Amino acid sequence: MVESFLFIRKTLPFVGTTYFPTVYKTIVEVSFTIPKPFFFSLTSKVHVKMAAPNHVHFHDLPDLILFNIFSLVTDTRTRNAISLVCLKWHLLERSTRSSLALRGNIRDLFLLPTCFQAVTNLDLSLLSPWGHPLLDYSSPNSILFAQLIRQAFPSVVSLTIYARNPLTLYLFAPQWPNLRHVKLKRWHQRLSIPLGFDFLPLFEHCLSLSSLDLSHFYCWTEDLPPALKTYPKVAASISYLNILITYSYAEGYKSHELLAITSACPNLRQFLATCLFDHRLVGFVGDETLLSLASNCPRLSLLHLVDATSSSNARANPDDEGYATEDAIISHATLAGLCTGLPLLEELILDVCHNVRDTGSALEVLNSKCPRLKSLKLGHFHGICRGINSQLNGIALCSRLESLSIKNSADLTDSSLIAISLGCPTLTKFVVHGCKRITEIGFRKFSSILKRTLIDVKISSCKHLNAVCSLRALEPIRGQIQQLHIDCLWESVQRFEGDLNQIAGNKSIQPEKRLDNKFSSRTWAKLHSLSLWISVGELLSPLTSSVGLNDCPVLEEIQIRIEGDCRQQSWHSMHAFELSSLECYPRLSKMKLDCGGTIGYALTAPYGYADLSMWERFYLMGVGNLNLTELDYWPPQDTEINHRALSLPAAGLIAQCGTLRKLFIHGTANEHLMMFLLRIPTLRDVQLREDYYPASENDFSTEMRVSSCCRFEDALNRRKIPD
């Protein structure tokens, strides 16, 4: 139970309180949430009267209570507003802020804030220019820069940093010897250095390291094992290790590398790794590796193993049977032994991308051997639940599951779904991907049984569940679902429109009216996050006009992923993507428009086809009609030349977004196109991020360089921003 509080600073200051001149003659409102038990006997609403001297002021609360209240505020903008009310609140806010993502240009050291002495979680990976080395081998001021950062943030124990070259860690690691959590980022190619050289300074100086995240750090799989072997005490202290490979063109860790890592880190509690399950490859993960892994790290509460091909985002052929071409070398006895050897498991993810057949009986062991298991994800596991005569078997016996993800299970049926819903009554999240035999009827029954708990659903690549069928299947939980992903497949909508056009031709009936009656709009009262997949060339407008998803009063965030080869699409078949159709969502403020899976011609296209600039016009047309405050945009790409850049039409259309505060372009851009963005009056945070592999090693002569980035940021900061 949380209560909402409103603190109002009126025009008359109080004796003994110093107010900032910027808010002396204004009214500042700050809204945040705190747990109800904090106030003990206080009323659920606090009304502060500031004019009469006999009334209690909010400042009369003990400082300890104020300190605890401010510590619970997590929203950055709310904290910034709090700090502007008065000097006391400013000092309290600064002393209670524990997390900070530092922005700005590394050349402007005089702007480095020194008032966040209590920050323990520091993110330096977003400094500008993005992706460039923070420290230069030839610069005499490198050590001074690292020391200034340490003096500004002396309490850091958790660090996120973009380490493009080893010098970054060699200078920063000694500054915080008490670091416990480190996340490294690098999308650029690895330098020609000895194996493990990237990690040596970290392990040498940070002896208390307990968490290491390398999921966004490009390195060789051979780098980590020798570094861990060199520093056995540090390796033994690590309890969280994430070596997932989130970029393409990767092979994954081989079996002997996984065993070397887990034997060096026997106290792991959470282990996430990308590996090889294909038995045709040297170093594949099979029965022996899985059992040895459980023996090496028996205290694991999270085990996340995925095949290297899982990150390719390739969508399977909807007409195939759903089986992979090869079987994994994983036996039922191994699955049972893995569960037995890891009794503390709370989350298990096995996405092997190769067939593991008839696994129902082996998965039943999870319920008895892993009593803490709350989250389960299986990829290419078949026979997980037969669902015969409504009898519970397989994973349907895992009654304590709260999150379940099933990917590419060829024999999962409607009966299986019903059995799972009956056997797992506490499910709050359900993900189904590539299951060809489930239908609208079965999924509707599934959601009906779980209507009291299910709030997060993702349906993708399921042959019989297009957009219309998916939404109809979710009708029983329409009023409570909070997060949703569907594929924008409009076959049934187009088929129905064709039938109505034929009827209208014979009976003079308006097809639009009949269509609205067929897919009547109903309110999705709690849906605040929507994720969509759509094929290249398809339109977005049916989402709000035809399938009944136009009434979402609290929808705040939408993610759109567009995939396909637009080189096969004729220019004459193109229409507007119709982003403006999203205007019906009154609270929509954040959008992630990902065209990174769209392949096309960056340069001159053949006659009758469009280059990428025209496709960007197609997808961004109407974005200025939305009241967005945050936009993440991934431009389409030309894979032949590794080109992802903002085009002239895209820059012009984004510049029409008059309410944007944050804009992140995941690619490159010309300097003169970036200057278009200065037309957005509220824009205050812009960055180009090449967070894909391989990021460009050398900037092209026509694209944003360090000097270009600095000139744009200077122009952005010179403006007066209404806030």
Side-chain angles (χ1 to χ4, degrees):
M1 180 68 181
V2 295
E3 300 294 340
S4 180
F5 293 84
L6 181 66
F7 305 106
I8 302 177
R9 179 335 198 170
K10 293 191 175 180
T11 56
L12 295 178
F14 283 87
V15 177
T17 305
T18 304
Y19 292 92
F20 284 95
T22 55
V23 296
Y24 183 80
K25 296 182 179 180
T26 61
I27 298 177
V28 177
E29 295 184 353
V30 181
S31 175
F32 53 88
T33 58
I34 62 175
K36 189 174 182 179
F38 241 172
F39 279 81
F40 306 104
S41 61
L42 294 181
T43 59
S44 61
K45 295 288 183 179
V46 175
H47 302 278
V48 183
K49 298 183 179 180
M50 298 193 176
N54 294 329
H55 287 87
V56 177
H57 189 274
F58 186 72
H59 290 173
D60 294 333
L61 289 174
D63 287 347
L64 180 59
I65 293 182
L66 286 178
F67 184 91
N68 290 331
I69 293 174
F70 282 31
S71 299
L72 294 170
V73 183
T74 57
D75 180 68
T76 302
R77 292 207 68 196
T78 300
R79 295 194 69 101
N80 292 339
I82 289 174
S83 67
L84 293 175
V85 172
C86 65
L87 180 59
K88 182 177 181 179
W89 284 29
H90 172 81
L91 297 175
L92 276 173
E93 192 281 325
R94 294 297 188 258
S95 64
T96 58
R97 187 177 296 213
S98 60
S99 180
L100 183 69
L102 194 64
R103 288 298 316 276
N105 199 298
I106 56 177
R107 61 172 183 163
D108 300 326
L109 287 179
F110 67 95
L111 295 176
L112 186 66
T114 59
C115 54
F116 296 101
Q117 300 288 303
V119 165
T120 58
N121 185 352
L122 180 63
D123 187 349
L124 297 178
S125 66
L126 302 178
L127 289 172
S128 295
W130 185 93
H132 288 267
L134 292 179
L135 305 171
D136 191 351
Y137 287 99
S138 60
S139 174
N141 298 322
S142 296
I143 298 179
L144 176 61
F145 176 75
Q147 291 175 345
L148 288 175
I149 295 289
R150 190 270 314 274
Q151 291 176 5
F153 307 101
S155 306
V156 171
V157 295
S158 177
L159 178 67
T160 302
I161 193 168
Y162 196 95
R164 183 165 174 175
N165 58 45
L167 179 63
T168 302
L169 285 179
Y170 267 97
L171 292 179
F172 274 107
Q175 308 303 323
W176 295 292
N178 295 323
L179 278 179
R180 295 197 298 269
H181 311 281
V182 174
K183 181 173 183 177
L184 302 181
K185 293 185 178 182
R186 180 171 68 194
W187 295 99
H188 292 81
Q189 297 186 27
R190 179 187 182 276
L191 299 179
S192 298
I193 54 178
L195 292 178
F197 200 69
D198 280 312
F199 308 115
L200 295 185
L202 184 64
F203 295 162
E204 178 182 353
H205 297 283
C206 304
L207 303 181
S208 302
L209 190 67
S210 63
S211 173
L212 181 61
D213 188 342
L214 304 177
S215 58
H216 293 90
F217 184 77
Y218 175 74
C219 62
W220 293 347
T221 59
E222 300 95 332
D223 278 321
L224 188 58
L228 292 172
K229 185 178 180 180
T230 305
Y231 294 92
K233 291 185 178 180
V234 176
S237 69
I238 295 178
S239 61
Y240 173 90
L241 181 60
N242 187 343
I243 52 174
L244 289 175
I245 300 176
T246 55
Y247 43 84
S248 56
Y249 314 111
E251 295 183 354
Y253 286 82
K254 297 179 175 61
S255 58
H256 66 275
E257 294 167 344
L258 287 180
L259 294 181
I261 292 171
T262 53
S263 61
C265 306
N267 296 313
L268 280 177
R269 300 296 179 91
Q270 297 175 304
F271 183 51
L272 304 87
T274 300
C275 47
L276 304 173
F277 286 99
D278 190 342
H279 66 89
R280 298 170 296 181
L281 302 176
V282 176
F284 74 93
V285 173
D287 291 337
E288 182 180 352
T289 305
L290 290 177
L291 293 176
S292 299
L293 191 152
S295 176
N296 291 341
C297 304
R299 298 183 181 89
L300 283 176
S301 62
L302 186 158
L303 178 61
H304 185 148
L305 299 178
V306 299
D307 189 80
T309 59
S310 178
S311 62
S312 62
N313 292 324
R315 297 175 68 87
N317 184 351
D319 296 323
D320 63 19
E321 295 183 359
Y323 291 97
T325 56
E326 297 289 336
D327 288 357
I329 308 299
I330 300 177
S331 66
H332 297 169
T334 296
L335 290 176
L338 183 68
C339 300
T340 304
L342 300 174
L344 303 180
L345 267 185
E346 298 178 13
E347 182 174 355
L348 175 63
I349 298 175
L350 295 174
D351 187 359
V352 300
C353 294
H354 297 82
N355 301 317
V356 185
R357 302 176 186 268
D358 302 321
T359 57
S361 58
L363 294 175
E364 291 179 359
V365 181
L366 281 171
N367 187 50
S368 58
K369 301 299 182 180
C370 304
R372 300 183 181 183
L373 190 67
K374 301 294 183 182
S375 179
L376 177 64
K377 178 179 179 180
L378 302 173
H380 282 87
F381 277 59
H382 311 294
I384 59 176
C385 180
R386 295 300 181 185
I388 301 175
N389 298 326
S390 299
Q391 294 182 354
L392 303 185
N393 57 75
I395 61 172
L397 294 178
C398 300
S399 58
R400 290 175 291 270
L401 284 180
E402 297 177 1
S403 174
L404 176 61
S405 177
I406 303 173
K407 180 180 179 182
N408 296 321
S409 182
D411 53 5
L412 188 75
T413 63
D414 289 346
S415 299
S416 305
L417 284 182
I418 296 172
I420 291 172
S421 63
L422 293 172
C424 307
T426 59
L427 276 182
T428 60
K429 179 179 180 179
F430 183 66
V431 177
V432 61
H433 175 93
C435 298
K436 311 298 177 62
R437 299 182 62 182
I438 60 176
T439 67
E440 175 188 340
I441 297 175
F443 207 99
R444 185 183 180 94
K445 181 66 174 177
F446 172 86
S447 60
S448 178
I449 296 174
L450 294 173
K451 62 184 179 180
R452 296 184 181 274
T453 60
L454 197 59
I455 60 174
D456 188 349
V457 177
K458 179 178 181 179
I459 305 172
S460 62
S461 298
C462 296
K463 182 178 181 179
H464 301 294
L465 289 173
N466 55 31
V468 173
C469 295
S470 298
L471 294 177
R472 286 200 301 243
L474 295 172
E475 179 65 23
I477 60 172
R478 173 179 47 82
Q480 72 180 40
I481 189 170
Q482 299 177 13
Q483 300 183 63
L484 171 65
H485 171 92
I486 60 172
D487 291 345
C488 294
L489 302 175
W490 313 124
E491 292 94 340
S492 58
V493 175
Q494 295 166 352
R495 184 168 57 252
F496 186 66
E497 286 177 334
D499 295 340
L500 289 181
N501 287 331
Q502 183 177 3
I503 294 174
N506 296 332
K507 300 183 180 181
S508 300
I509 300 175
Q510 295 180 358
E512 294 82 0
K513 185 175 181 180
R514 291 288 301 275
L515 187 65
D516 291 339
N517 292 336
K518 178 67 177 179
F519 301 106
S520 59
S521 173
R522 295 190 178 183
T523 302
W524 300 73
K526 296 183 180 180
L527 184 65
H528 64 79
S529 179
L530 177 62
S531 175
L532 306 171
W533 177 93
I534 189 166
S535 178
V536 65
E538 293 290 335
L539 305 183
L540 186 64
S541 53
L543 179 74
T544 56
S545 64
S546 305
V547 301
L549 200 61
N550 62 312
D551 191 1
C552 304
V554 299
L555 184 65
E556 297 179 351
E557 180 179 359
I558 189 167
Q559 303 179 34
I560 304 175
R561 169 76 176 178
I562 303 165
E563 291 184 349
D565 192 342
C566 60
R567 295 173 296 187
Q568 302 175 3
Q569 298 281 337
S570 173
W571 166 252
H572 302 290
S573 65
M574 293 176 63
H575 306 281
F577 185 56
E578 300 185 6
L579 274 180
S580 57
S581 62
L582 302 179
E583 288 184 84
C584 62
Y585 303 132
R587 296 184 60 179
L588 182 63
S589 60
K590 301 178 182 179
M591 175 183 288
K592 293 183 178 180
L593 182 59
D594 186 356
C595 301
T598 303
I599 312 300
Y601 300 102
L603 305 176
T604 304
Y607 178 77
Y609 293 85
D611 59 21
L612 291 181
S613 65
M614 293 297 99
W615 281 101
E616 287 195 274
R617 181 195 299 272
F618 168 71
Y619 284 115
L620 286 169
M621 185 71 70
V623 68
N625 298 334
L626 308 177
N627 295 321
L628 298 177
T629 59
E630 297 183 20
L631 174 61
D632 279 75
Y633 175 60
W634 286 258
Q637 61 171 313
D638 188 333
T639 54
E640 299 293 332
I641 58 175
N642 190 31
H643 178 86
R644 308 188 192 198
L646 193 71
S647 66
L648 174 61
L653 290 169
I654 293 177
Q656 297 177 12
C657 299
T659 58
L660 271 186
R661 291 178 55 86
K662 296 183 179 181
L663 172 62
F664 304 118
I665 299 171
H666 301 263
T668 61
N670 294 324
E671 180 181 354
H672 70 278
L673 297 182
M674 293 294 291
M675 292 300 178
F676 283 26
L677 305 177
L678 299 178
R679 302 175 183 177
I680 305 175
T682 58
L683 192 63
R684 62 184 309 160
D685 194 358
V686 186
Q687 196 166 49
L688 296 176
R689 300 174 181 173
E690 296 178 82
D691 48 359
Y692 49 85
Y693 181 82
S696 301
E697 287 296 323
N698 299 307
D699 296 322
F700 296 109
S701 59
T702 58
E703 296 185 84
M704 290 288 282
R705 300 176 293 273
V706 174
S707 57
S708 302
C709 179
C710 293
R711 285 192 294 268
F712 171 75
E713 291 179 348
D714 289 341
L716 183 67
N717 293 331
R718 282 195 299 266
R719 304 178 310 146
K720 183 178 180 180
I721 301 175
D723 192 358

